[in-house]
Amino acid sequence: MRVTGIDVRVVTPHQRFLWTYTRAQADVVADSLALRREFPQELTYLGSGAELWRAATAVQSALLRASDLLLSDHAAELADLARPGPVDVLDLGPGTGSAAEGLLAGLIAAGRFGGYRAVDISPEMLTLAGARLTAAFPARAARLAFTVGDFRDAGPHAARIVLLAGGTLFNLADPGALLRDLAATRNPGDLVVITTRLDTTGRAPFPPSQPAPALPPIHRLGLDLLNLDPGWYEPERGFDPARREVWSGARLNRPITLHLDGAHGRRVVALHTGDLLLLYRQLFLDRAAVTALIEGSGLRLRTFHTGRSGEVAMFVADTRD
Ligand SMILES: C[S@@+](CC[C@H](N)C(=O)[O-])C[C@H]1O[C@@H](n2cnc3c(N)ncnc32)[C@H](O)[C@@H]1O
């Protein structure tokens, strides 16, 4: 790190950034920061981010538990809704595999399990999911597959059940784009299963607080990997009522110039005092808004269930014939 005459911090990433990301991913980080002042949230699950997520979800909150139980509670119904024959499941963003576990157990119990494939951008997360699901279903290990990739551009997602569990869909800046892709590449009758937290009150999910609480470690990970000293920013969080989106970020209190080595050489990103770096986003929609998003993407809502907590729900959609 170098300090210039006007106190601009010139920063190169931490060694762990270089171990965690490819040069192409360093370009994604540079582009996202330069164009949108956003650290790509999906990249925070790589490297030590996987363990941070596992640890954060290991002591399951009532909401997380209720979200996972939605899939085991309704596995037999999902098997009935799916086209006849063995049901293959494609899990987009499996995390630790906790959501898929109940669904697979239910499909096995119903004699309908065909196979399971997880696609995740984080190799480390896939290792966790693989260990969990292989231990849970050792006799089916040969029919469990784990593929590293970005599910937004991984091509056609064909499976009798495509699973987007635990709110993963609503971390995306444009969830409709993924749903439209799924609608376009589905075989008639194949299901898209979404579980998420729901807005049941029409209010923000937390009261406004000043100052904002400290950033959770997984939200902060990108800044730590970039080598940004916590003294150079203040945490912020908020709720965007127009988008119905929860967000957290870091407000810079000094100018910073980042030097990142991308696939085609050095990238220089100039950040300014007062810039808000977005670190996390999650849409917080009510039932009507999720339904409208699904239907507006060319999918048809087949069934809806709230969970054992009324704040989580499962939406099951298929392709119109
Ligand atoms: C919220 S977490 C896990 C959610 C998990 N389905 C559950 O219910 O616990 C999101 C997961 O999706 C993965 N992910 C996020 N965006 C992705 C993308 N664009 N392509 C592939 N994986 C992605 C992350 O690496 C992480 O494993």
Side-chain angles (χ1 to χ4, degrees), residues 144-299:
L144 307 176
F146 301 88
T147 307
V148 179
D150 187 326
F151 56 59
R152 291 168 302 184
D153 49 37
H157 290 307
R160 278 185 171 68
I161 292 181
V162 173
L163 180 60
L164 279 158
T168 300
L169 178 66
F170 296 114
N171 292 135
L172 301 178
D174 186 0
L178 178 61
L179 292 180
R180 286 192 295 279
D181 262 12
L182 290 174
T185 54
R186 275 348 1 255
N187 289 316
D190 285 351
L191 305 177
V192 177
V193 178
I194 298 163
T195 63
T196 184
R197 188 174 172 194
L198 269 194
D199 171 7
T200 54
T201 66
R203 291 193 298 273
F206 51 81
S209 66
Q210 282 295 336
L215 293 169
I218 194 159
H219 295 189
R220 224 185 75 184
L221 182 73
L223 303 183
D224 292 345
L225 293 178
L226 287 170
N227 231 349
L228 301 196
D229 187 298
W232 301 344
Y233 57 81
E234 317 299 335
E236 287 193 17
R237 76 167 181 177
F239 179 66
D240 175 345
R243 271 182 66 83
R244 309 290 306 165
E245 187 170 63
V246 176
W247 57 266
S248 83
R251 182 81 62 183
L252 297 185
N253 57 27
R254 64 179 61 246
I256 294 165
T257 299
L258 285 171
H259 286 181
L260 298 172
D261 290 330
H264 306 290
R266 168 83 28 119
R267 305 285 304 272
V268 178
V269 181
L271 304 170
H272 310 293
T273 302
D275 283 354
L276 177 68
L277 307 186
L278 193 66
L279 303 171
Y280 171 85
R281 54 163 85 226
Q282 172 91 53
L283 287 177
F284 185 61
L285 303 178
D286 63 15
R287 176 179 174 175
V290 177
T291 303
L293 188 69
I294 289 171
E295 300 267 346
S297 306
L299 294 164

Side-chain angles (χ1 to χ4, degrees), residues 34-74:
L35 300 173
R36 294 182 295 282
R37 294 292 189 258
E38 178 167 3
F39 192 94
Q41 190 174 329
E42 65 279 5
L43 294 183
T44 60
Y45 294 97
L46 273 68
S48 58
E51 177 53 28
L52 288 177
W53 173 258
R54 191 205 62 74
T57 54
V59 186
Q60 278 201 320
S61 70
L63 283 188
L64 268 178
R65 178 101 191 107
S67 178
D68 286 354
L69 283 172
L70 268 165
L71 290 161
S72 42
D73 286 351
H74 298 288

